[in-house]
Amino acid sequence: MIDKKTLSERDICTKFITPALEKAKWDKLTQILEEVSFTDGKIYVRGKLTARGARKRADYILYFKPNIPIAIIEAKDNNHSVRAGIQQGLDYAKTLDIPCVFSSNGDGFLFHDRTASEGNIETEIGVDNFPTPEQLWEKYKKYKGINTTDSEKVVSQDYYFDGSGRKPRYYQQIAINRTVEAIANGQNRILLVMATGTGKTYTAFQIIHRLWKAGAKKRILFLADRNNLIDQTRRGDFKHFKDKMTVVKHRMVDKSYEIYLALYQGLTGNEEEKNIYKQFSPEFFDLIVVDECHRGSANEDSSWREILTYFKKATQIGLTATPKETSTASNTEYFQDPIYTYSLKQGIDDGFLAPYRVVRIGLNVDLEGWRPTEGKTDKDGNSVADRIYNRRDFDRHLVIEERTDSVAKKLTEFLKGYDRFAKTIVFCQDIDHAERMRTALQRHNSDLAAANNKYIMQITGDNDEGKRELDNFINPEEIYPVIACTSELMTTGVDAQTCKVIVLDSNIASMTKFKQIIGRGTRINEDYNKLYFTILDFRNATDLFADLNFDGNPIRIKPVTEERDLGNIVDEEENSTDNIIDEETGEEIIITQPYIRTPEESFEPNTREPREKIYVNGVDVSVLVSRELYFDQNGRPITASLKDHTKEIIKGKFASLDDFLNRWNNSDRKEAIIEELQQQGVLVEALMEAVENSCDLFDLICLIAYDQPPLTRRERANNVKKRNYFTKYGEQSRKVLEALLDKYADEGIENIESMEVLKVKPLTEFGSPIEIINEFGSKEKYLQAVKELENELYKTASA
């Protein structure tokens, strides 16, 4: 009989929990998922280095159908009670919107029923009495208020699968399921709030597809306010609708389609081409999805709202990252409270969105104001009115040329110290300001601008050449443009995945606009090493982080003197000694790797008469204060010294040098120790880079943690050769071991431990893997020879 107390948690799952589920008729292939990681792990940043924290992982998630989760199980080994996992399970169930929670240690189950309003919320169940899928589906329907056969048919409609293996993230799954469930239950106005970069269009596609396939909604309109949003949608997720879909354009209406994509502007018009949308009957559409609904549709008297009112019998879904709530505009008043919100903060904590640092640069004229001297004239010789001008005036009413030059200079200084080819968006006050900023940046980056005239581009609504380069700026594979100077054009709807720097030189008072601008940088693209971004703030726009309505603070704050060179500001972080704690595990993290989004058509023109600007020069502009912001969600600094953090992790695992040497020398696979240390937060790649990859990780650990002088891999290999260690092997075996030794000297211990090394040069010169192994007598004897070779490599350490 098996002694359960000796079994691991995974053994308990395999031998007791999974069989109990299969006995209850759960399908192992389609309904049971084990060890489900549902977040990516928060990204921690120090200087140019990054590391991910632990992922959140459920032991089991049970599905009635794919992407419709109805239960969660947290497992523990048998040295714990059956109840030990219930609190963690409840925490995950709340995050994942799952009603039934189980804890088990292999003896049975504790069942927490979140659908129970009173009475026995928690009950113990025998290991042979786990509920069937149908029983838990009834619980789910109760939890979601699904009371009719028709609503159950809609709610159980399959997701669209394209064969690529792509699945919705957990928050997308919740947004899709809640929306479909609400519509199945008769709700006709729905608001989804999802942070920029979290996949609103994919979420909308799955909602529409499920409702359409279920027959609940037959004709659907997707509304956006910019051409590129329509184009991205048509070419992206919505392409699966194929010939059932059309884009309304050229003011032509064809009523033979089922899925319609349209611009607001394309459905309305002036008096002569009045209201194209009225060619459809008010009952034509069953469902309308309003993208970026914080824009025109939030205003009750807008022409966009007229469209929604005309089709008022249709179910309407609003999508936004930033719902608008002002005295004159309200998303929630029209769409009701959000049915689901996935915030910037949640996205950063889950590791799906990029964290960011903020560098705030205070120019003297901004912080102190500027008052013209007596008789001061503008560039045209006109007298400048005597008053104190401040940040709100600059580049709007008054242009100080030296101020523009100073901003360009500080940005260039930062990029020279960071990465001169980091995609950068500079948000300016208006088009004129963007034009002047481009000129100033050209002057400070004349070398790269001369090499390619598209290094810096003005991308604004009035600049056709710049707008044509927008797609190249967005495209990760295109180097140019590198720096985009803009005003309003790139504040929303622009997906620049590799934008690593955002410059704020515009007065931003609106929280909605501020969040949209921040959203230009929040996308992650690991293929291009875009894991975080930096904001350079020249206007104190980031004061909005202090607003209670802001939900995604940056990472840190640090005051800097007037003379501070921004070229060193990123690298300096790597020498900090502050701890970085993984918010999921509570363990310390150490870090590695260097490190937005984009535009559309211009906003509606301002009909007011523009106030004429005053242009002045000859003003002393300098940096008074520059400070770097960098906090985690608890307000703690997150910087740390790579060396000190590595030392603390190693000393926490191996108290003495002997402890480490014993473990290293007695391990069958050194790679397993390396993997273990990486999981603990040791940034192996960063450490190897620090010594130009010449030392073994073994020597780096001995040096950092125990102050032992290191040897290079080449020195260790040469020491083995000097001992004539190979004489006990035959000639061919000796050549193989010598080749492995050279492989170690070049690439490290992990490579010689893998059988795959026998498939690459120079080992292939000695025959096939089987032929090489036969030279040693057997696979076991070959592996023993490799083990002895490793012992020889580290012999001096163990002596």
Side-chain angles (χ1 to χ4, degrees):
M1 184 175 177
I2 298 174
D3 181 1
K4 288 185 183 177
K5 302 295 183 185
T6 65
L7 298 179
S8 68
E9 180 182 300
R10 187 91 306 260
D11 288 335
I12 293 292
C13 292
T14 303
K15 297 179 184 298
F16 297 99
I17 298 178
T18 299
L21 298 177
E22 292 178 311
K23 183 177 181 181
K25 307 300 182 186
W26 289 87
D27 189 313
K28 192 171 182 180
L29 295 178
T30 62
Q31 295 184 306
I32 302 172
L33 278 185
E34 296 186 57
E35 297 188 291
V36 186
S37 293
F38 56 90
T39 70
D40 270 2
K42 184 173 181 177
I43 296 170
Y44 295 88
V45 185
R46 185 176 59 253
K48 296 177 185 175
L49 306 179
T50 61
R52 280 195 183 268
R55 296 180 173 190
K56 290 185 177 180
R57 182 185 61 82
D59 291 320
Y60 288 84
I61 297 181
L62 307 182
Y63 297 82
F64 184 68
K65 298 185 79 173
N67 292 304
I68 304 178
I70 58 177
I72 189 169
I73 304 173
E74 277 304 305
K76 298 294 179 184
D77 64 39
N78 201 250
N79 294 299
H80 291 80
S81 75
V82 73
R83 301 169 174 271
I86 199 67
Q87 290 192 159
Q88 185 179 21
L90 284 168
D91 182 48
Y92 288 172
K94 182 179 179 182
T95 299
L96 299 172
D97 201 22
I98 293 175
C100 299
V101 187
F102 296 85
S103 172
S104 179
N105 65 351
D107 290 339
F109 297 90
L110 179 70
F111 174 30
H112 183 106
D113 184 358
R114 297 180 70 208
T115 70
S117 55
E118 56 186 32
N120 293 327
I121 296 176
E122 290 187 352
T123 55
E124 288 199 26
I125 299 172
V127 73
D128 294 326
N129 296 309
F130 194 85
T132 65
E134 290 70 28
Q135 289 173 321
L136 293 189
W137 176 239
E138 291 302 316
K139 296 282 187 185
Y140 183 87
K141 289 194 294 182
K142 178 182 177 182
Y143 181 68
K144 296 292 189 174
I146 303 162
N147 301 315
T148 68
T149 303
D150 287 343
S151 61
E152 182 177 359
K153 176 189 173 187
V154 175
V155 166
S156 60
Q157 175 62 45
D158 290 336
Y159 276 63
Y160 179 83
F161 296 99
D162 61 7
S164 68
R166 180 184 184 185
K167 297 188 299 183
R169 292 170 172 170
Y170 84 86
Y171 61 85
Q172 294 170 334
Q173 183 178 273
I174 294 172
I176 295 162
N177 289 343
R178 283 194 184 180
T179 303
V180 171
E181 289 154 4
I183 292 172
N185 287 332
Q187 187 170 328
N188 283 320
R189 296 292 181 271
I190 292 167
L191 180 63
L192 280 177
V193 178
M194 296 172 66
T196 301
T198 55
K200 291 189 291 295
T201 306
Y202 175 70
T203 301
F205 165 74
Q206 289 286 5
I207 292 168
I208 292 170
H209 192 273
R210 290 180 69 198
L211 293 170
W212 179 60
K213 291 297 285 186
K217 303 297 176 185
K218 295 183 172 67
R219 286 194 287 235
I220 296 138
L221 173 64
F222 182 90
L223 272 177
D225 71 323
R226 295 191 171 185
N227 272 321
N228 72 320
L229 292 178
I230 292 293
D231 291 339
Q232 287 173 13
T233 302
R234 175 180 58 82
R235 297 193 309 264
D237 297 307
F238 278 56
K239 66 178 179 289
H240 303 296
F241 285 123
K242 300 178 181 175
D243 59 355
K244 303 295 185 183
M245 175 179 66
T246 187
V247 176
V248 179
K249 52 188 175 182
H250 307 309
R251 303 194 175 275
M252 301 292 291
V253 170
D254 184 340
K255 300 178 185 177
S256 63
Y257 292 90
E258 296 176 56
I259 313 294
Y260 292 78
L261 309 180
L263 284 174
Y264 288 107
Q265 301 92 319
L267 294 184
T268 58
N270 55 33
E271 287 302 321
E272 288 151 16
E273 25 177 52
K274 186 72 178 170
N275 301 331
I276 308 304
Y277 64 87
K278 289 188 178 179
Q279 294 182 42
F280 297 103
S281 70
E283 295 80 21
F284 186 84
F285 292 110
D286 304 309
L287 174 67
I288 299 177
V289 177
V290 185
D291 194 25
E292 304 290 359
C293 69
H294 63 280
R295 304 283 300 267
S297 58
N299 298 312
E300 189 173 354
D301 59 353
S302 71
S303 59
W304 299 353
R305 181 69 73 86
E306 288 179 17
I307 301 173
L308 303 184
T309 302
Y310 181 77
F311 296 115
K312 62 185 176 183
K313 293 183 181 179
T315 297
Q316 296 177 10
I317 302 171
L319 304 175
T320 183
T322 52
K324 181 176 285 189
E325 300 300 322
T326 68
S327 58
T328 59
S330 172
N331 285 128
T332 57
E333 184 178 320
Y334 184 79
F335 288 105
Q336 303 179 26
D337 289 334
I339 198 168
Y340 183 62
T341 297
Y342 189 72
S343 68
L344 174 62
K345 177 180 180 297
Q346 287 172 284
I348 292 173
D349 288 347
D350 287 343
F352 296 127
L353 294 180
Y356 50 95
R357 70 162 59 83
V358 176
V359 180
R360 296 179 67 167
I361 303 101
L363 302 175
N364 62 335
V365 292
D366 291 348
L367 299 179
E368 298 176 341
W370 176 74
R371 183 178 181 182
T373 56
E374 186 175 352
K376 179 67 176 177
T377 58
D378 64 16
K379 291 179 68 176
D380 295 327
N382 302 312
S383 178
V384 179
D386 183 18
R387 69 177 181 87
I388 296 178
Y389 296 86
N390 56 36
R391 185 186 292 122
R392 297 179 64 181
D393 295 303
F394 299 141
D395 299 298
R396 186 180 178 198
H397 304 137
L398 179 79
V399 173
I400 299 177
E401 292 185 345
E402 286 81 3
R403 187 191 178 284
T404 306
D405 186 77
S406 184
V407 171
K409 178 182 177 183
K410 298 309 287 184
L411 169 57
T412 302
E413 187 177 282
F414 175 81
L415 292 176
K416 284 181 176 178
Y418 175 58
D419 175 6
R420 294 191 74 187
F421 284 90
K423 295 266 183 166
T424 300
I425 304 176
V426 185
F427 286 96
C428 301
Q429 188 67 30
D430 56 22
I431 290 173
D432 169 72
H433 185 200
E435 186 178 298
R436 289 183 289 102
M437 185 61 70
R438 176 198 165 278
T439 300
L441 284 166
Q442 288 268 355
R443 187 163 55 250
H444 286 284
N445 294 273
S446 57
D447 54 341
L448 295 182
N452 190 304
N453 67 310
K454 293 181 179 178
Y455 177 74
I456 305 159
M457 295 288 291
Q458 176 190 340
I459 302 180
T460 53
D462 72 326
N463 190 292
D464 291 339
E465 184 178 2
K467 285 195 291 185
R468 283 194 295 270
E469 290 299 322
L470 182 54
D471 285 344
N472 288 330
F473 183 84
I474 294 170
N475 187 348
E477 296 182 0
E478 293 291 338
I479 297 175
Y480 300 100
V482 175
I483 302 174
C485 299
T486 189
S487 55
E488 296 286 2
L489 183 61
M490 299 174 74
T491 57
T492 186
V494 171
D495 181 14
Q497 299 175 23
T498 54
C499 180
K500 297 180 179 180
V501 183
I502 289 177
V503 180
L504 302 179
D505 196 23
S506 174
N507 297 320
I508 304 168
S510 161
M511 177 62 75
T512 298
K513 182 176 178 180
F514 179 62
K515 282 188 174 183
Q516 288 290 334
I517 287 175
I518 298 303
R520 299 317 97 206
T522 53
R523 288 191 187 270
I524 290 170
N525 190 321
E526 300 205 41
D527 291 341
Y528 290 86
N529 205 23
K530 162 63 191 305
L531 293 167
Y532 67 97
F533 65 106
T534 300
I535 298 173
L536 301 184
D537 179 14
F538 289 89
R539 301 269 181 160
N540 275 17
T542 49
D543 283 346
L544 289 169
F545 289 141
D547 192 300
L548 293 177
N549 293 319
F550 194 80
D551 56 19
N553 283 337
I555 333 171
R556 176 190 150 188
I557 183 167
K558 175 184 174 186
V560 213
T561 64
E562 174 181 340
E563 295 78 22
R564 181 55 199 270
D565 182 354
L566 292 190
N568 302 323
I569 200 164
V570 174
D571 291 336
E572 184 185 75
E573 283 180 24
E574 294 168 27
N575 298 318
S576 170
T577 58
D578 294 328
N579 293 344
I580 302 175
I581 304 299
D582 186 353
E583 291 161 12
E584 175 65 15
T585 64
E587 296 179 357
E588 191 172 336
I589 280 186
I590 306 193
I591 298 193
T592 215
Q593 289 161 4
Y595 145 92
I596 313 203
R597 268 173 108 113
T598 70
E600 268 301 338
E601 302 161 358
S602 58
F603 284 33
E604 296 177 22
N606 189 342
T607 55
R608 292 180 298 179
E609 192 69 29
R611 181 172 173 179
E612 189 172 340
K613 291 183 184 178
I614 303 167
Y615 293 79
V616 298
N617 55 20
V619 178
D620 174 36
V621 177
S622 60
V623 176
L624 277 188
V625 149
S626 179
R627 58 189 177 128
E628 187 177 359
L629 297 170
Y630 235 113
F631 352 87
D632 64 17
Q633 65 177 30
N634 299 313
R636 295 192 302 253
I638 67 151
T639 57
S641 159
L642 185 61
K643 179 180 177 180
D644 290 345
H645 276 292
T646 304
K647 183 174 183 177
E648 288 184 25
I649 288 178
I650 295 166
K651 295 294 284 283
K653 194 160 186 61
F654 307 108
S656 67
L657 176 61
D658 285 341
D659 291 338
F660 173 66
L661 294 179
N662 286 335
R663 174 68 187 284
W664 184 270
N665 290 322
N666 293 324
S667 173
D668 289 333
R669 289 177 61 251
K670 314 301 186 215
E671 185 179 11
I673 300 177
I674 295 171
E675 289 172 353
E676 192 176 317
L677 289 171
Q678 285 177 313
Q679 291 172 1
Q680 294 290 319
V682 173
L683 300 180
V684 173
E685 290 181 15
L687 291 170
M688 299 305 286
E689 283 180 15
V691 293
E692 298 181 346
N693 208 31
S694 63
C695 284
D696 204 327
L697 182 65
F698 170 89
D699 282 282
L700 286 176
I701 288 172
C702 290
L703 170 66
I704 291 170
Y706 310 108
D707 297 320
Q708 297 296 305
L711 295 176
T712 66
R713 289 196 302 271
R714 182 62 62 187
E715 287 171 332
R716 287 195 174 279
N718 288 338
N719 287 342
V720 174
K721 291 176 181 179
K722 291 174 186 176
R723 295 190 204 114
N724 294 319
Y725 154 69
F726 300 113
T727 53
K728 68 177 186 175
Y729 294 102
E731 181 181 356
Q732 191 75 346
S733 297
R734 282 202 305 272
K735 289 179 179 178
V736 170
L737 291 173
E738 287 171 353
L740 287 175
L741 198 57
D742 289 336
K743 203 76 175 166
Y744 160 80
D746 291 335
E747 299 175 10
I749 194 71
E750 306 97 297
N751 290 284
I752 72 170
E753 290 188 332
S754 170
M755 298 295 289
E756 294 297 312
V757 75
L758 300 180
K759 299 178 182 179
V760 298
K761 291 183 178 181
L763 278 303
T764 51
E765 297 172 3
F766 304 115
S768 68
I770 293 176
E771 289 172 333
I772 293 173
I773 287 170
N774 287 340
E775 286 292 333
F776 290 84
S778 66
K779 180 179 179 181
E780 290 71 24
K781 289 182 179 178
Y782 167 78
L783 292 175
Q784 181 59 34
V786 173
K787 170 72 174 169
E788 290 177 3
L789 177 60
E790 290 179 343
N791 290 341
E792 288 296 318
L793 280 167
Y794 302 108
K795 201 167 191 176
T796 53
S798 57

